[in-house]
């Protein structure tokens, strides 16, 4: 192994695992990796054939790979720079080889079925035993070698898996046939052993092809990365590999090309298609100063873009990591299935042995006993159990990502389908989040004087309301006053010293605490608040002698998607609550406009968090929707949190679910896909268990031919994966509702 990958230092590692065939394999790999020093948790996914390892100290990746090898499998570190094309090429080669194995096995097995068909038609024709042996032997020991290798590894580790069941069952049928041939019998059972191997190989091939489709979302995202980028060096264009890009490089992006990486437009204007990144179906127009995301398609203009992020720092890389993390994580139901799978194979072996002994004691003879025991071994399929949950999780999270819903992990997906109450922040969530000043009222002096002093106070603030004040003052060329001792008072406002006096700008309640008389402008303020506007008051003076200077009113338009969003939640029987720092009149206005069930106004970040905690203690499953920054305490207090953003680091780390575009309708869409995904999981588990609950007793009582048992086993895994794939047809209601009010 190269020294470059000799150790992991990031606290996480992803391994590609080769050789797993069922849920018992998953359990064995997890146990092996958990024993490596430094490993704190492991999640192995049968559908992706990946292991996600969390480390609390730098650990040699060779130790991880060796632990997997000691358990009987192969592992390799998944390198970040490996491309989708490289992975696809390797998969295509393996798929082609597996397909040829299926065809070869079928060609060799087909002649062995001729006597069976002839007998069914009333003809008496048979292939000599020697030629049956010639046809069956390569199927058993060449094409079936993979089952022997995996079975041997399982046996020496005192474990069991699907391969062990297939190896024992087909070997028993093959061995019985050889014994009968040597004894001179004409009726042999080579067709049973070869048919089982052929059908299982066919089932695994179909299963692998179907599983590939569950990872379509990841491959689609990976394909957004172009291999090269065009940069400007010394005034000349030069094409370089994407890995060589550095922050500050100037990119040339022509119409029809993908943006190579995140950056800021320095020259040009164009429409960009970001559908695969945000789920936004309409192209977005962007000009100088606008941020662009790597992977977006430049539709119609020549752009010069300054690189702002490369490699793992890009939005696309973060999205891919989140989707992969969600697809490799496990909900609690899968952990229960894994525990069942650990004892599944030993129980099946005991049932098969009991079947053999029971038929012999009943007088049917060893021949019939062995065939029925083989049917028991073959019908039992722990593969379907192992695939039932991860395939549904993969497809559900993948299709959600395609429409701009990033689900952090299986736990977030699991909680989402239980949501009973959604709590919304107002600014930037149900409203556009770009408030502007609509009214300026002066109690003393002029409106410009009120605006000038308010802008002086807010000049260093990053709050959206503060930016609106500063921007309007700048547009009117109003000079800022040099203030000192500026201090932000959480949940109330800001104060500063001006000419030996104090200036105060903030909430009406704070003004009352300071002893300010608001009566001169109270009637106008109430009228503005009734229109849904936010009012901030300006006052000045020494403590105990503070007087009112005026007020500023801010308006923030309600998003056109907000009302349909609330209606969609109500259709899902989910209640809605607005927590806002604004006054009650402003909250009531928004409630009436969008149809919220309840509003709680004049809330601080701390009180929002307390409200959410109290609601959870009352027994409700609560979701909080905010911007991922200002509402961090409330987001953390909720059962599940939604961050509405363009995919910033803060939003992705503070929320269980990130909405890649600021559309509140995606909250209902998330709950919908979560509920549909969990229905698929239960359907899959039902079919996985029903195959075994019905098939094993039928086989034990001699009512299933081993060939039919092999077909049923192959069908069980394919049907589970195929059922999960039907989720790919899901489309969010927000896409269907094109006419929002």
């Amino acid at each position: 192994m190269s020294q470059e990958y000799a150790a992991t230092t990031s606290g996480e590692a992803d391994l590609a695992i080769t050789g797993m065939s069922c849920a018992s394999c998953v359990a064995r790999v997890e146990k092996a990796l958990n024993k490596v020093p430094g490993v704190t948790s492991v999640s192995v996914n049968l559908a992706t054939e990946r292991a996600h390892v969390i480390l609390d100290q730098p650990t040699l990746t060779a130790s991880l790979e060796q632990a997997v090898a000691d358990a009987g499998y192969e592992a390799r570190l998944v390198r970040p720079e490996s491309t989708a094309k490289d992975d696809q090429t390797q998969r295509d080669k393996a798929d082609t080889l597996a397909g040829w194995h299926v065809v070869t096995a079928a060609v060799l097995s087909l002649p062995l079925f001729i006597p069976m068909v002839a007998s069914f038609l009333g003809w008496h024709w048979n292939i000599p035993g020697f030629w049956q042996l010639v046809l069956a032997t390569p199927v058993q020991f060449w094409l079936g070698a993979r089952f022997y290798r995996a079975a041997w590894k399982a046996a020496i580790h005192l474990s069991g898996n699907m391969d062990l069941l297939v190896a024992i069952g087909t070997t028993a049928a093959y061995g019985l046939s050889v014994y009968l041939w040597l004894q001179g019998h004409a009726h042999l059972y080579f067709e049973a052993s070869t048919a089982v191997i052929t059908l299982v190989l066919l089932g695994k091939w179909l299963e692998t092809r179907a599983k590939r489709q569950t990872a379509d979302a990841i491959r689609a995202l990976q394909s957004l990365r172009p291999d090269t980028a065009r940069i400007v060096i010394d005034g000349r264009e030069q094409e370089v590999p994407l890995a060589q890009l550095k922050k500050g490089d100037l990119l040339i992006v022509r119409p029809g090309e993908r943006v190579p990486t995140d950056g800021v437009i320095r020259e040009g204007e164009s429409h960009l298609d970001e559908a695969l990144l945000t789920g936004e179906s309409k192209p977005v127009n962007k000009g100088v100063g606008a941020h662009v995301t790597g992977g977006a398609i430049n539709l119609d203009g020549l752009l010069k873009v300054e690189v702002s992020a490369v490699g793992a720092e890009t939005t696309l890389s973060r999205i891919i990591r989140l989707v992969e993390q969600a697809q490799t994580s496990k909900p609690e139901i899968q952990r229960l299935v894994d525990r069942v799978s650990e004892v599944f194979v030993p129980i099946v072996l005991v049932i098969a042995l009991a079947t053999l002994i029971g038929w012999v004691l009943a007088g049917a003879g060893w021949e019939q006993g062995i065939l029925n025991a083989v049917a028991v071994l073959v019908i039992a399929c722990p593969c379907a159990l192992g695939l039932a949950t991860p395939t549904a999780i993969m497809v559900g999270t993948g299709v959600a990502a395609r429409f701009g819903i990033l689900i952090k992990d299986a736990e977030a997906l699991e909680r989402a389908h239980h949501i009973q109450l959604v709590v919304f922040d107002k600014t930037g969530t149900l409203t556009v989040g770009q408030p502007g000043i609509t009214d300026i009222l002066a109690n003393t002096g002029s409106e410009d004087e009120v605006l000038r002093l308010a802008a002086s106070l807010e000049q260093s603030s990053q709050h959206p309301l503060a930016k609106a004040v500063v921007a309007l003052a700048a547009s009117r060329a109003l000079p800022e006053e040099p203030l000192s001792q500026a201090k932000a008072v959480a949940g109330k406002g800001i104060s500063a010293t001006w000419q030996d006096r104090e200036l105060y700008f903030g909430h009406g309640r704070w003004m009352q605490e300071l002893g300010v008389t608001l009566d001169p402008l109270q009637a106008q303020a109430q009228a503005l608040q009734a229109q849904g506007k936010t009012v901030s008051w300006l006052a000045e003076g020494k403590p105990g002698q503070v007087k009112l200077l005026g007020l500023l009113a801010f308006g923030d338009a309600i998003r056109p998607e907000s009302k349909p969003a609330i209606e969609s939640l109500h259709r899902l029987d989910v209640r809605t609550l607005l927590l806002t720092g604004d006054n009650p009149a402003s909250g009531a206005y928004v409630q009436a406009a969008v149809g919220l069930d309840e509003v709680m106004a004049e809330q601080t970040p701390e009180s929002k968090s307390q409200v959410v905690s109290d609601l959870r203690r009352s027994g409700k499953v609560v979701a909080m929707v905010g911007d991922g920054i200002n509402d961090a305490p409330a987001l953390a207090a909720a059962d599940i949190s939604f961050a509405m953003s363009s995919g910033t680091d803060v939003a992705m780390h503070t929320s269980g679910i990130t909405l890649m575009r600021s559309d509140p309708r995606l909250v209902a869409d998330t709950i919908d896909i979560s509920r549909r995904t969990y229905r698929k999981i239960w359907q899959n588990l039902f079919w996985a268990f029903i195959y075994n609950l019905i098939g094993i007793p039928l086989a034990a009582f001699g009512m299933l031919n081993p060939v039919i048992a092999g077909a049923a086993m192959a069908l069980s895994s394919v049907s589970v994966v195929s059922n999960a794939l039907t989720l790919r047809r899901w489309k969010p209601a927000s896409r269907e509702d094109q006419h929002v009010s």
Side-chain angles (χ1 to χ4, degrees):
M1 180 185 301
S2 65
Q3 291 301 313
E4 182 181 359
Y5 294 97
T8 57
T9 57
S10 64
E12 296 183 11
D14 288 295
L15 300 171
I17 311 295
T18 304
M20 295 190 299
S21 61
C22 63
S24 356
C25 301
V26 169
R28 195 155 84 245
V29 172
E30 286 185 345
K31 281 184 178 179
L33 287 171
N34 272 314
K35 292 178 181 178
V36 177
V39 172
T40 58
S41 70
V42 178
S43 178
V44 177
N45 188 308
L46 179 61
T48 61
E49 298 181 323
R50 293 282 184 93
H52 184 67
V53 184
I54 306 295
L55 307 155
D56 62 3
Q57 66 186 50
T59 303
L60 290 175
T61 56
S63 302
L64 301 175
E65 293 171 348
Q66 187 59 49
V68 175
D70 291 343
Y73 305 92
E74 295 179 11
R76 63 176 176 82
L77 184 69
V78 178
R79 303 184 178 186
E81 75 275 15
S82 63
T83 66
K85 290 181 181 178
D86 294 338
D87 293 341
Q88 186 63 43
T89 300
Q90 293 179 5
R91 285 193 296 265
D92 288 344
K93 288 180 179 178
D95 195 39
T96 301
L97 180 61
W100 278 112
H101 281 183
V102 172
V103 171
T104 305
V107 169
L108 292 173
S109 301
L110 189 59
L112 298 174
F113 281 87
I114 294 177
M116 182 187 299
V117 175
S119 176
F120 179 78
L121 295 174
W123 302 338
H124 298 285
W125 186 84
N126 202 3
I127 297 177
F130 172 77
W131 291 109
Q132 291 189 49
L133 177 66
V134 169
L135 290 169
T137 300
V139 175
Q140 184 71 39
F141 298 108
W142 170 43
L143 299 173
R146 54 168 288 180
F147 301 115
Y148 285 104
R149 286 194 296 268
W152 172 249
K153 290 177 181 178
I156 62 176
H157 290 90
L158 301 179
S159 180
N161 57 15
M162 179 208 76
D163 301 296
L164 183 64
L165 298 180
V166 172
I168 293 175
T170 58
T171 302
Y174 178 88
L176 175 62
S177 300
V178 172
Y179 172 78
L180 293 174
W181 173 59
L182 293 174
Q183 294 295 315
H185 290 269
H187 185 65
L188 309 176
Y189 298 98
F190 284 117
E191 79 280 353
S193 64
T194 58
V196 167
I197 288 177
T198 302
L199 288 168
V200 174
L201 288 175
L202 175 62
K204 296 302 289 182
W205 182 68
L206 293 173
E207 173 194 316
T208 300
R209 290 177 64 86
K211 284 194 299 185
R212 298 268 177 81
Q213 297 177 56
T214 67
D216 278 350
I218 289 291
R219 287 199 298 277
L221 289 169
Q222 290 174 334
S223 68
L224 298 182
R225 293 188 180 115
D227 294 328
T228 61
R230 193 178 294 106
I231 64 175
V232 178
I233 300 178
D234 297 329
R236 298 178 60 185
E237 293 184 21
Q238 182 176 333
E239 194 165 318
V240 299
L242 194 65
Q244 293 183 14
L245 286 183
K246 303 184 297 295
K247 289 183 181 179
D249 282 345
L250 190 63
L251 301 172
I252 301 294
V253 186
R254 295 194 174 104
E257 295 180 342
R258 289 196 182 276
V259 179
T261 190
D262 294 1
V264 179
I265 298 176
R266 295 308 180 199
E267 289 185 31
E269 182 178 352
S270 181
H271 286 84
L272 285 97
D273 181 356
E274 300 178 332
L276 280 174
L277 292 165
T278 67
E280 176 58 64
S281 58
K282 298 178 181 178
V284 181
N285 186 61
K286 295 191 177 184
V288 175
H291 288 269
V292 294
T293 306
I297 302 174
N298 179 25
L299 296 179
D300 51 23
L302 179 67
L303 298 176
K304 289 187 177 180
V305 178
E306 181 182 336
V307 175
S308 61
V310 294
E313 300 174 357
T314 64
T315 300
L316 179 58
S317 293
R318 294 198 303 267
I319 292 173
I320 291 173
R321 282 201 304 274
L322 274 178
V323 176
E324 287 179 333
Q325 180 179 329
Q327 294 186 344
T328 56
S329 60
K330 288 186 180 182
E332 188 56 39
I333 187 173
Q334 179 61 29
R335 301 186 189 281
L336 175 61
V337 171
D338 289 347
R339 289 194 289 271
V340 171
S341 299
E342 285 188 67
V343 298
F344 182 85
V345 172
I347 289 175
V348 170
L349 290 173
V350 170
I351 294 174
L353 181 61
T355 299
L356 172 62
I357 295 173
W359 280 94
V360 171
L361 293 178
W366 287 99
E367 180 180 332
Q368 188 62 45
I370 289 175
L371 285 177
N372 292 339
V374 168
V376 169
L377 292 171
V378 172
I379 189 66
C381 185
C383 306
L385 287 176
L387 292 169
T389 300
T391 51
I393 294 288
M394 286 182 68
V395 180
T397 54
V399 73
R402 197 167 76 234
F403 290 104
I405 303 168
L406 296 185
I407 300 171
K408 194 171 187 178
D409 50 34
E411 183 180 0
L413 184 70
E414 187 170 25
R415 289 181 178 179
H417 83 284
H418 289 303
I419 290 173
Q420 299 168 296
L421 172 67
V422 176
V423 179
F424 287 94
D425 173 48
K426 180 174 78 71
T427 303
T429 304
L430 295 178
T431 64
V432 175
Q434 297 177 340
I437 297 175
T438 61
D439 302 86
I440 303 174
L441 301 179
N443 184 41
T444 62
S446 66
E447 292 183 2
D448 279 355
E449 182 70 6
V450 172
L451 176 60
R452 183 174 65 86
L453 293 176
S456 300
L457 280 162
E458 297 283 21
Q459 57 187 305
S460 61
S461 175
Q462 295 300 310
H463 193 281
L465 297 183
K467 291 181 178 180
V469 174
V470 174
L472 183 59
S475 70
R476 296 187 182 183
L478 299 176
E480 296 176 350
E481 291 289 347
L483 305 180
S484 60
Q485 299 179 351
K487 181 174 63 175
V489 182
K492 297 180 178 180
I494 189 169
S495 67
T497 302
W498 174 56
Q499 297 180 355
D500 298 327
R501 290 179 294 177
E502 287 289 317
L503 283 178
Y504 304 91
F505 184 60
H507 205 282
R509 286 175 301 149
W510 188 32
M511 297 295 134
Q512 293 172 346
E513 292 174 13
L514 295 170
V516 180
T517 300
L518 304 180
D519 293 344
L521 299 176
Q522 188 69 59
Q524 295 97 313
Q526 289 175 349
L528 292 168
Q529 290 169 344
Q531 299 170 27
K533 297 178 181 179
T534 300
V535 173
S536 292
W537 303 81
L538 179 68
E540 63 90 12
K542 296 180 180 179
Q545 300 176 342
V546 184
K547 60 182 180 180
L548 180 65
L549 294 180
L551 65 80
L552 277 71
F554 301 85
D556 187 6
I558 295 174
R559 291 185 185 278
E561 305 90 355
S562 294
K563 186 176 181 179
I566 302 304
E567 291 172 347
S568 296
L569 287 169
H570 287 161
R571 285 195 292 270
L572 294 171
D573 294 324
V574 176
R575 290 185 59 78
T576 54
L577 166 66
L578 175 66
L579 292 182
T580 176
D582 286 346
N583 57 79
S586 179
Y589 174 82
V590 176
Q591 179 183 19
V594 304
L596 291 154
D597 293 308
E598 188 179 353
V599 171
M600 298 179 69
E602 298 183 334
Q603 300 292 315
T604 64
E606 291 76 15
S607 65
K608 287 182 181 181
S609 175
Q610 186 60 49
V611 168
V612 171
S613 297
D614 291 343
L615 289 168
R616 288 185 63 192
R617 278 194 288 270
S618 71
K620 292 183 175 65
V621 179
V622 182
M624 174 70 194
V625 187
D627 59 14
I629 303 173
N630 297 331
D631 297 295
L635 288 168
D639 289 292
I640 183 69
S641 56
F642 293 77
M644 297 181 65
S645 72
S646 58
T648 61
D649 279 327
V650 174
M652 288 188 177
H653 285 91
T654 58
S655 63
I657 297 171
T658 299
L659 307 180
M660 293 300 294
R661 65 183 191 275
S662 297
D663 185 346
R665 294 176 298 175
L666 292 177
V667 177
D669 292 335
T670 304
I671 296 173
D672 183 45
I673 187 59
S674 172
R675 290 180 179 180
R676 290 173 186 266
T677 300
Y678 267 79
R679 279 201 294 271
K680 288 298 178 188
I681 288 175
W682 285 109
Q683 289 170 11
N684 284 350
L685 288 174
F686 169 79
W687 287 113
F689 277 109
I690 208 71
Y691 270 111
N692 291 302
L693 289 176
I694 295 177
I696 291 176
L698 288 177
F701 286 105
M703 301 171 69
L704 267 187
N705 183 286
V707 176
I708 297 175
M713 176 188 181
L715 181 62
S716 64
S717 296
V718 175
S719 63
V720 161
V721 179
S722 300
N723 185 48
L725 285 173
T726 60
L727 278 172
R728 295 198 306 170
R729 297 198 294 263
W730 177 81
K731 282 186 173 57
S734 58
R735 276 293 181 91
E736 298 169 1
D737 182 13
Q738 297 296 325
H739 304 286
V740 294
S741 58

